[in-house]
PDB file of all heavy atoms in Angstrom:
ATOM      1  N   GLY E 232      -2.028 -10.813  -3.532  1.00 97.00           N
ATOM      2  CA  GLY E 232      -3.075 -10.739  -2.510  1.00 97.00           C
ATOM      3  C   GLY E 232      -3.571 -12.123  -2.121  1.00 97.00           C
ATOM      4  O   GLY E 232      -3.684 -12.449  -0.936  1.00 97.00           O
ATOM      5  N   ALA E 235      -0.986 -14.037  -0.150  1.00 97.00           N
ATOM      6  CA  ALA E 235      -0.973 -13.632   1.260  1.00 97.00           C
ATOM      7  C   ALA E 235      -2.131 -14.287   2.013  1.00 97.00           C
ATOM      8  O   ALA E 235      -1.968 -14.745   3.152  1.00 97.00           O
ATOM      9  CB  ALA E 235      -1.067 -12.111   1.378  1.00 97.00           C
ATOM     10  N   PHE E 239      -1.835 -16.789   5.149  1.00 96.00           N
ATOM     11  CA  PHE E 239      -2.568 -16.542   6.397  1.00 96.00           C
ATOM     12  C   PHE E 239      -3.365 -17.782   6.792  1.00 96.00           C
ATOM     13  O   PHE E 239      -3.369 -18.194   7.956  1.00 96.00           O
ATOM     14  CB  PHE E 239      -3.485 -15.328   6.199  1.00 96.00           C
ATOM     15  CG  PHE E 239      -4.303 -14.953   7.399  1.00 96.00           C
ATOM     16  CD1 PHE E 239      -3.726 -14.782   8.648  1.00 96.00           C
ATOM     17  CD2 PHE E 239      -5.672 -14.745   7.279  1.00 96.00           C
ATOM     18  CE1 PHE E 239      -4.486 -14.426   9.751  1.00 96.00           C
ATOM     19  CE2 PHE E 239      -6.447 -14.378   8.385  1.00 96.00           C
ATOM     20  CZ  PHE E 239      -5.845 -14.226   9.620  1.00 96.00           C
ATOM     21  N   PRO E 289       0.938  -0.064 -30.409  1.00 76.00           N
ATOM     22  CA  PRO E 289       1.294   1.271 -30.876  1.00 76.00           C
ATOM     23  C   PRO E 289       2.656   1.689 -30.350  1.00 76.00           C
ATOM     24  O   PRO E 289       3.125   1.191 -29.328  1.00 76.00           O
ATOM     25  CB  PRO E 289       0.196   2.171 -30.312  1.00 76.00           C
ATOM     26  CG  PRO E 289      -0.785   1.291 -29.672  1.00 76.00           C
ATOM     27  CD  PRO E 289      -0.214  -0.058 -29.526  1.00 76.00           C
ATOM     28  N   ASP E 319       8.734   3.050   9.829  1.00 91.00           N
ATOM     29  CA  ASP E 319       7.652   2.068   9.984  1.00 91.00           C
ATOM     30  C   ASP E 319       7.966   0.737   9.306  1.00 91.00           C
ATOM     31  O   ASP E 319       7.391  -0.290   9.649  1.00 91.00           O
ATOM     32  CB  ASP E 319       6.340   2.616   9.404  1.00 91.00           C
ATOM     33  CG  ASP E 319       5.571   3.432  10.426  1.00 91.00           C
ATOM     34  OD1 ASP E 319       6.158   3.733  11.490  1.00 91.00           O
ATOM     35  OD2 ASP E 319       4.408   3.759  10.182  1.00 91.00           O
ATOM     36  N   TRP E 338       3.364 -17.151  17.188  1.00 92.00           N
ATOM     37  CA  TRP E 338       3.228 -16.027  16.261  1.00 92.00           C
ATOM     38  C   TRP E 338       2.101 -15.094  16.663  1.00 92.00           C
ATOM     39  O   TRP E 338       2.099 -13.916  16.360  1.00 92.00           O
ATOM     40  CB  TRP E 338       3.027 -16.533  14.830  1.00 92.00           C
ATOM     41  CG  TRP E 338       1.746 -17.271  14.592  1.00 92.00           C
ATOM     42  CD1 TRP E 338       1.504 -18.579  14.887  1.00 92.00           C
ATOM     43  CD2 TRP E 338       0.537 -16.773  14.041  1.00 92.00           C
ATOM     44  NE1 TRP E 338       0.232 -18.923  14.553  1.00 92.00           N
ATOM     45  CE2 TRP E 338      -0.397 -17.837  14.013  1.00 92.00           C
ATOM     46  CE3 TRP E 338       0.141 -15.522  13.539  1.00 92.00           C
ATOM     47  CZ2 TRP E 338      -1.693 -17.692  13.525  1.00 92.00           C
ATOM     48  CZ3 TRP E 338      -1.151 -15.376  13.036  1.00 92.00           C
ATOM     49  CH2 TRP E 338      -2.054 -16.459  13.049  1.00 92.00           C
ATOM     50  N   MET E 385       6.431  -0.017  -9.331  1.00 95.00           N
ATOM     51  CA  MET E 385       6.331  -0.091 -10.801  1.00 95.00           C
ATOM     52  C   MET E 385       4.922  -0.471 -11.233  1.00 95.00           C
ATOM     53  O   MET E 385       4.378   0.090 -12.185  1.00 95.00           O
ATOM     54  CB  MET E 385       7.329  -1.128 -11.336  1.00 95.00           C
ATOM     55  CG  MET E 385       8.773  -0.709 -11.288  1.00 95.00           C
ATOM     56  SD  MET E 385       9.118   0.842 -12.135  1.00 95.00           S
ATOM     57  CE  MET E 385       8.518   0.504 -13.780  1.00 95.00           C
ATOM     58  N   HIS E 414       8.289  11.377 -10.219  1.00 96.00           N
ATOM     59  CA  HIS E 414       8.173  12.232  -9.039  1.00 96.00           C
ATOM     60  C   HIS E 414       9.143  11.731  -7.974  1.00 96.00           C
ATOM     61  O   HIS E 414       8.993  10.601  -7.496  1.00 96.00           O
ATOM     62  CB  HIS E 414       6.734  12.219  -8.514  1.00 96.00           C
ATOM     63  CG  HIS E 414       6.436  13.314  -7.554  1.00 96.00           C
ATOM     64  ND1 HIS E 414       6.938  13.344  -6.275  1.00 96.00           N
ATOM     65  CD2 HIS E 414       5.718  14.442  -7.692  1.00 96.00           C
ATOM     66  CE1 HIS E 414       6.520  14.438  -5.668  1.00 96.00           C
ATOM     67  NE2 HIS E 414       5.781  15.129  -6.500  1.00 96.00           N
ATOM     68  N   VAL E 545      -9.049  22.258  14.334  1.00 92.00           N
ATOM     69  CA  VAL E 545      -9.374  22.531  12.921  1.00 92.00           C
ATOM     70  C   VAL E 545      -8.286  23.394  12.295  1.00 92.00           C
ATOM     71  O   VAL E 545      -7.839  23.139  11.175  1.00 92.00           O
ATOM     72  CB  VAL E 545     -10.755  23.215  12.814  1.00 92.00           C
ATOM     73  CG1 VAL E 545     -11.025  23.661  11.397  1.00 92.00           C
ATOM     74  CG2 VAL E 545     -11.860  22.278  13.271  1.00 92.00           C
ATOM     75  N   ARG E 584     -18.417   9.879 -12.789  1.00 90.00           N
ATOM     76  CA  ARG E 584     -17.228  10.549 -12.229  1.00 90.00           C
ATOM     77  C   ARG E 584     -17.477  11.067 -10.823  1.00 90.00           C
ATOM     78  O   ARG E 584     -16.548  11.250 -10.046  1.00 90.00           O
ATOM     79  CB  ARG E 584     -16.823  11.708 -13.142  1.00 90.00           C
ATOM     80  CG  ARG E 584     -16.232  11.241 -14.455  1.00 90.00           C
ATOM     81  CD  ARG E 584     -16.280  12.312 -15.506  1.00 90.00           C
ATOM     82  NE  ARG E 584     -16.905  11.801 -16.711  1.00 90.00           N
ATOM     83  CZ  ARG E 584     -16.809  12.376 -17.903  1.00 90.00           C
ATOM     84  NH1 ARG E 584     -16.140  13.495 -18.043  1.00 90.00           N
ATOM     85  NH2 ARG E 584     -17.412  11.856 -18.940  1.00 90.00           N
TER      86      ARG E 584
END
Side-chain angles (χ1 to χ4, degrees):
Chain E
F239 180 51
D319 273 11
W338 66 279
M385 287 304 303
H414 195 289
V545 173
R584 289 160 232 197

